[in-house]
Amino acid sequence: MLVLPSHTLVSPRIPRRGGAEVIEVRWDLLRRLVPACGVVLAMALACLQLFGPDVERTVPYPHESAFGTTGMMIVMVVVLTLWSISLYYRCSDVTVRRRLLGVAILLDLLQVDALVKYTAQTSSVVAVCWYLYYIPLVFVPLLMALAALRTSTMDRTVGVARLERVLTGVGVALSVGMLTNGVHRLAFVFDPSDPLWDVRYSYGPVYVAVFVWSVAMLLAYFVLIAFYARRTLRRVMLLVAVVAGSAVVYSATYVMRLAFAFNSNYALLYATGIVIIAESSLDLGLLPSYRHVGKLFHEIPLDIKVVASGGEVICATRVARPLSERVAGRLGRMHVEPGAMVDVRVDEESDVLHKAYGIDGGVALLRPSQSGRMEH
């Protein structure tokens, strides 16, 4: 007996209509709120850039070196935008899709924020972009972990639903802590009167918490995927895990300010690593993707065939018997409206009753294993 992946089902303990309506309202609110906040932030940064105090750069940022990365970051913004469109059409689970779209949007904003910070001419713009830089670094790993949690189907229990809210609250608290560093200096410790304040700084407990949080969320992503992945997929996870491990090592060397990492473009490499992890997970079937729907259909233990309007078999399950010419001819002369169901029987096979379900361009034909009966 084959059990379909339960992320395609709905838990009976959660009202489908009410839950779906709440999620849809929240999604619509986010779609309106995020662009509005972006416009307000862009206007505020423009004002700071025009009227704020000047600041001179003595230590170049990555884009100012001989191997400048500004062009690559602009290309990355375009690539991430196209990737988000691709995710919309390739991810088969709506909740996972929205979380991956959130990841793509945050990575896009990370590139824009870094570009503004690198080219800023006022210390106030540098400070604002510096703190905003860590919002994606907090929520991208969280969204990845929540996507894996959804795939594992553990998100339907009441306890896990509460855990999601707690994790979201922790992410918000860490983000607020980073954004208010100018008040408490618990993320970055520096002397604001020093002209090189954005270079001569040390890490505080809030920054350490953000780093530990990011590593923990990525580890949670792989633990959830590994535990609930099919056995045939556990080996291919090694490839994705190696990429994630490399990203963690790179992040650690960046925090320790080793020259080869600290002088690199962290925003660009971070986005590249996350895209590779998410894309590999989709391609290998670790996250729900339409690419694997055909294989899933093939393994259904019922005699089902998708038949075109002309009587040709488009695809069939593994246990499906060949379609006889008489049944194919009968279907070729019939028109079944999408969503309707009709019985199909031919004189030469009077003991077999087929069920034809109308779909766009043809029918889905079910042949019961016994006369007039469907398997349960």
Side-chain angles (χ1 to χ4, degrees):
M1 178 180 178
L2 176 70
V3 179
L4 296 179
S6 52
H7 64 258
T8 61
L9 306 177
V10 177
S11 172
R13 286 175 290 182
I14 300 179
R16 179 170 183 172
R17 182 179 177 183
E21 289 176 348
V22 171
I23 293 173
E24 193 63 33
V25 169
R26 291 177 179 174
W27 180 249
D28 289 339
L29 179 62
L30 284 175
R31 285 190 296 185
R32 291 173 172 83
L33 185 61
V34 171
C37 291
V39 171
V40 172
L41 178 61
M43 294 175 63
L45 289 176
C47 292
L48 290 174
Q49 182 80 347
L50 292 174
F51 306 109
D54 293 337
V55 59
E56 294 184 0
R57 292 273 170 255
T58 57
V59 179
Y61 283 119
H63 82 293
E64 298 172 322
S65 66
F67 303 96
T69 54
T70 299
M72 288 188 287
M73 294 184 73
I74 294 174
V75 171
M76 178 60 78
V77 170
V78 178
V79 170
L80 288 171
T81 302
L82 296 176
W83 184 55
S84 64
I85 298 173
S86 172
L87 288 174
Y88 183 83
Y89 289 102
R90 290 189 298 121
C91 185
S92 57
D93 183 275
V94 63
T95 302
V96 175
R97 182 193 312 147
R98 287 174 175 175
R99 289 169 181 174
L100 291 181
L101 285 174
V103 168
I105 293 171
L106 287 173
L107 292 178
D108 236 339
L109 294 176
L110 179 64
Q111 307 306 305
V112 174
D113 178 81
L115 282 170
V116 174
K117 178 177 180 287
Y118 290 165
T119 56
Q121 297 299 316
T122 61
S123 57
S124 52
V125 173
V126 172
V128 171
C129 292
W130 191 14
Y131 303 148
L132 286 174
Y133 188 91
Y134 289 88
I135 305 304
L137 301 187
V138 168
F139 283 100
V140 165
L142 174 60
L143 289 173
M144 293 288 288
L146 293 180
L149 191 63
R150 168 66 177 177
T151 304
S152 70
T153 71
M154 293 178 60
D155 64 325
R156 295 188 180 89
T157 62
V158 176
V160 174
R162 292 174 180 171
L163 177 62
E164 288 185 355
R165 290 192 289 270
V166 170
L167 291 175
T168 303
V170 173
V172 171
L174 290 174
S175 300
V176 172
M178 296 300 297
L179 291 173
T180 56
N181 182 71
V183 177
H184 50 69
R185 302 282 196 276
L186 293 177
F188 301 101
V189 182
F190 57 86
D191 181 3
S193 62
D194 186 350
L196 297 178
W197 60 269
D198 60 331
V199 176
R200 296 172 181 167
Y201 62 87
S202 59
Y203 300 120
V206 174
Y207 181 90
V208 174
V210 169
F211 181 79
V212 173
W213 164 269
S214 300
V215 174
M217 290 298 101
L218 285 178
L219 288 177
Y221 172 82
F222 285 103
V223 169
L224 289 167
I225 290 294
F227 187 74
Y228 285 92
R230 298 187 294 275
R231 291 184 178 180
T232 55
L233 292 178
R234 290 182 180 176
R235 292 181 181 178
V236 300
M237 278 198 61
L238 179 62
L239 173 64
V240 185
V242 168
V243 175
S246 302
V248 172
V249 171
Y250 167 71
S251 298
T253 56
Y254 188 90
V255 171
M256 292 185 289
R257 302 191 185 186
L258 298 183
F260 77 93
F262 194 68
N263 293 330
S264 64
N265 191 321
Y266 185 84
L268 185 63
L269 294 177
Y270 180 85
T272 302
I274 293 295
V275 169
I276 291 175
I277 294 172
E279 194 62 27
S280 299
S281 299
L282 284 169
D283 190 63
L284 298 174
L286 302 175
L287 291 176
S289 171
Y290 285 119
R291 175 177 179 177
H292 304 278
V293 170
K295 182 179 179 181
L296 180 65
F297 174 79
H298 182 72
E299 296 297 327
I300 294 177
L302 297 174
D303 187 338
I304 303 176
K305 293 175 280 289
V306 176
V307 184
S309 56
E312 303 86 5
V313 177
I314 304 301
C315 59
T317 58
R318 180 173 53 84
V319 299
R321 299 179 185 179
L323 184 66
S324 67
E325 294 182 1
R326 294 179 177 83
V327 175
R330 177 70 180 277
L331 291 174
R333 297 188 298 271
M334 293 176 57
H335 175 70
V336 183
E337 291 291 335
M341 184 192 73
V342 298
D343 296 334
V344 179
R345 192 195 300 269
V346 295
D347 295 337
E348 292 78 1
E349 301 177 19
S350 59
D351 59 330
V352 178
L353 178 64
H354 298 271
K355 300 286 186 179
Y357 299 84
I359 59 177
D360 291 334
V363 297
L365 190 68
L366 170 65
R367 173 174 175 161
S369 61
Q370 299 179 9
S371 177
R373 295 186 180 182
M374 296 176 59
E375 291 184 353
H376 294 278

